[in-house]
Amino acid sequence: MERVILLADCQSFYASAEKAAHPEYHDKPVAVGDPSRMNGIVLAACPLAKARGVTTASRVGEALALCPELVVIRPRMQRYIEVSLFITQIFETYTDQVEPYSIDEQFLDVTGSAAYYGGARRTALDIQNHIQLSTGIWSRVGIGPTKILAKMATDNYAKKSPEGVFELSRETLDSTLWTLPVHQMFMVASRMTRHFNRMGLQTIGDIARLEFPEFKRRMRLEMGRQSDIQAGYYWQTARGIDPSPVVSGIRHPLKSVGHGKALRWRMYRCLADIEVVLLELVVEVCQRMRRHGCMGSVVSVSAMETDGERTGGFSRQLTLRQPTSLTHEVAAAVRELFTRHWSGLPVGRLSVTVSGLADDSVMQLTLFEDRDRAYRKEKTIDRIKERFGSDAIMRASSLLEAGVARERAEQIGGHYR
């Protein structure tokens, strides 16, 4: 039996959640962003705001200039997470196979239950109505026999349909998906579009109709032998081939743990200020590793450098002598990596990642340091933070002007709770 996969996408999710919470804004253009920062980014804009020229990722000041009547609402990330989880519960009344793709998109495998609700299309319409009646949020649903086709049905058709539902079947690909420009294929951005156009491939169908050996040959001529894996991915995507199942839940085995922070580069010109942020990132990474019962042996540091005119950066890693999740051991490696590769330009973004994860139930002891005691101390601090908040205990360096930990304590994913 061919699978029946849905991808449900909530329209302008953050803005829709705010309009549902504020009925007085029903007929007004609404955007989600920080109204106190004119150079801040618009995270979401409702359809009324978009019709007046307001776009996601535009500056708040620019949006207000285009639409003076725009209502800008400060984001509430905790609220959006709660609404997203509630919508997941709605989906689980239709099937037990629900896979969150992002905070506002989720896959559903309704192969076994669609007939009960009157078919795939009727199921999609019922889900739409259920979500809107329960949350006030309108959703668009793509239907396909694979996850990749359901995703492209949503992005290219359901979002542009008044009804908000569209089905892509294998039998109709040549008259639907294959007629679209190649840049509308999933995971094809501007750079890849230029490669395809130079290869004479203008539409998705131009890729799908080629035999794979010929497509791989063209990819090699354009991008080199290392492009074979990409060739296989794009050829299968164009044909809607995707054997991956809908995996219930959002937890998968951890391969790495990392944190990053965008910075106001004018404030981070000297090493002392940069080290404050690096240490704060290490503290978060190590705390998360201990929470998951793991430790890592490969430490990576990435930085974006700019002075407003020149832009550069680096991403480097080193392997530790032994796996660890102790803050001071990871911090020493991070500092060594950064000082070795930093060019001296102001820093606009930093990230720290630890990989090569292993179970922390077995720990290597040393002659000159009581590592077991150090772990017990850090885990005690972790429990205090979990109970009273991440700012309950902080390093003194975080109280400096360069510190960002206090600000991050009030945020989820870089945005206010």
Side-chain angles (χ1 to χ4, degrees):
M1 181 186 296
E2 190 160 67
R3 294 185 298 165
V4 181
I5 309 295
L6 311 182
L7 178 69
D9 170 83
C10 296
Q11 183 183 51
S12 305
F13 180 56
Y14 298 165
S16 296
E18 292 297 348
K19 293 190 81 165
H22 298 279
E24 66 271 21
Y25 298 148
H26 176 72
D27 295 321
K28 295 183 178 181
V30 168
V32 175
D34 190 343
S36 66
R37 295 178 57 190
M38 290 298 101
N39 63 338
I41 297 297
V42 171
L43 300 178
C46 75
L48 288 176
K50 290 179 179 178
R52 290 165 170 79
V54 178
T55 60
T56 302
S58 62
R59 302 288 180 183
V60 172
E62 296 169 353
L64 288 169
L66 286 170
C67 180
E69 67 273 28
L70 182 69
V71 179
V72 181
I73 300 176
R74 181 172 162 171
R76 299 183 295 160
M77 298 307 299
Q78 184 63 45
R79 172 61 179 167
Y80 308 147
I81 292 171
E82 291 169 358
V83 174
S84 179
L85 292 173
F86 178 68
I87 290 173
T88 301
Q89 293 176 352
I90 291 175
F91 293 148
E92 288 172 345
T93 65
Y94 293 85
T95 175
D96 60 351
Q97 294 177 280
V98 179
E99 179 182 345
Y101 181 67
S102 66
I103 194 169
D104 61 343
E105 293 178 286
Q106 303 192 48
F107 286 107
L108 296 81
D109 189 331
V110 295
T111 306
S113 58
Y116 177 81
Y117 294 100
R121 187 176 186 82
R122 185 67 257 168
T123 304
L125 292 170
D126 286 350
I127 288 173
Q128 264 187 334
N129 291 331
H130 196 159
I131 294 172
Q132 188 162 35
L133 288 172
S134 301
T135 67
I137 297 173
W138 176 245
S139 60
R140 289 75 57 90
V141 185
I143 308 169
T146 64
K147 289 165 71 174
I148 202 73
L149 285 178
K151 172 66 174 170
M152 290 194 285
T154 302
D155 291 346
N156 295 309
Y157 295 100
K159 288 184 178 182
K160 301 171 184 177
S161 164
E163 188 180 44
V165 174
F166 192 88
E167 181 172 4
L168 274 178
S169 64
R170 299 190 190 279
E171 294 74 20
T172 61
L173 288 182
D174 58 343
S175 60
T176 53
L177 185 68
W178 290 0
T179 66
L180 298 178
V182 71
H183 73 265
Q184 291 183 239
M185 188 164 73
F186 181 61
M187 293 298 287
V188 174
S190 57
R191 185 176 180 183
M192 202 65 218
T193 298
R194 290 193 294 272
H195 283 304
F196 286 145
N197 289 342
R198 282 196 293 267
M199 294 158 59
L201 306 173
Q202 304 293 325
T203 67
I204 298 176
D206 290 339
I207 297 174
R209 293 187 182 96
L210 289 175
E211 292 299 323
F212 179 61
E214 172 61 17
F215 179 61
K216 185 166 70 171
R217 184 188 70 81
R218 295 194 190 188
M219 286 283 285
R220 283 187 174 186
L221 288 174
E222 175 69 22
M223 302 176 63
R225 295 180 64 89
Q226 72 278 4
S227 65
D228 286 359
I229 294 177
Q230 286 178 291
Y233 170 79
Y234 287 119
W235 187 79
Q236 291 187 54
T237 298
R239 292 192 167 205
I241 300 171
D242 178 13
S244 62
V246 173
V247 180
S248 301
I250 59 175
R251 295 196 179 277
H252 305 285
L254 281 177
K255 296 183 179 179
S256 64
V257 177
H259 277 292
K261 177 67 178 176
L263 305 170
R264 294 187 286 275
W265 60 265
R266 290 182 177 83
M267 292 179 58
Y268 295 91
R269 299 172 178 269
C270 67
L271 182 60
D273 290 334
I274 296 168
E275 284 182 325
V276 172
V277 180
L278 284 173
L279 179 57
E280 291 176 335
L281 293 175
V282 170
V283 168
E284 290 193 50
V285 168
C286 289
Q287 182 181 352
R288 186 177 167 202
M289 280 196 290
R290 292 190 296 270
R291 186 186 308 132
H292 288 284
C294 62
M295 51 189 174
S297 58
V298 180
V299 176
S300 305
V301 176
S302 299
M304 187 278 288
E305 304 168 291
T306 182
D307 60 2
E309 296 180 0
R310 296 171 294 171
T311 299
F314 63 87
S315 182
R316 297 290 188 273
Q317 67 179 37
L318 63 78
T319 301
L320 303 173
R321 294 175 184 171
Q322 56 199 12
T324 184
S325 62
L326 288 173
T327 301
H328 71 279
E329 292 180 347
V330 176
V334 165
R335 189 183 190 283
E336 178 186 345
L337 275 172
F338 183 82
T339 54
R340 187 191 307 168
H341 299 288
W342 180 43
S343 70
L345 285 175
V347 174
R349 180 171 180 81
L350 286 171
S351 65
V352 172
T353 302
V354 178
S355 55
L357 302 181
D359 187 354
D360 70 357
S361 59
V362 178
M363 178 177 53
Q364 178 67 48
L365 301 179
T366 64
L367 290 175
F368 307 105
E369 183 182 9
D370 190 345
R371 298 187 79 222
D372 180 58
R373 181 180 181 184
Y375 269 105
R376 285 188 278 111
K377 181 189 73 174
E378 296 216 5
K379 288 181 178 179
T380 299
I381 294 173
D382 293 343
R383 288 193 292 271
I384 293 172
K385 289 184 175 183
E386 288 168 5
R387 182 173 180 181
F388 299 104
S390 59
D391 57 348
I393 295 181
M394 304 182 75
R395 291 177 177 260
S397 58
S398 293
L399 301 178
L400 297 172
E401 186 179 0
V404 297
R406 285 178 297 174
E407 181 184 7
R408 288 172 68 90
E410 300 176 0
Q411 298 175 341
I412 296 178
H415 302 289
Y416 291 106
R417 293 175 183 270

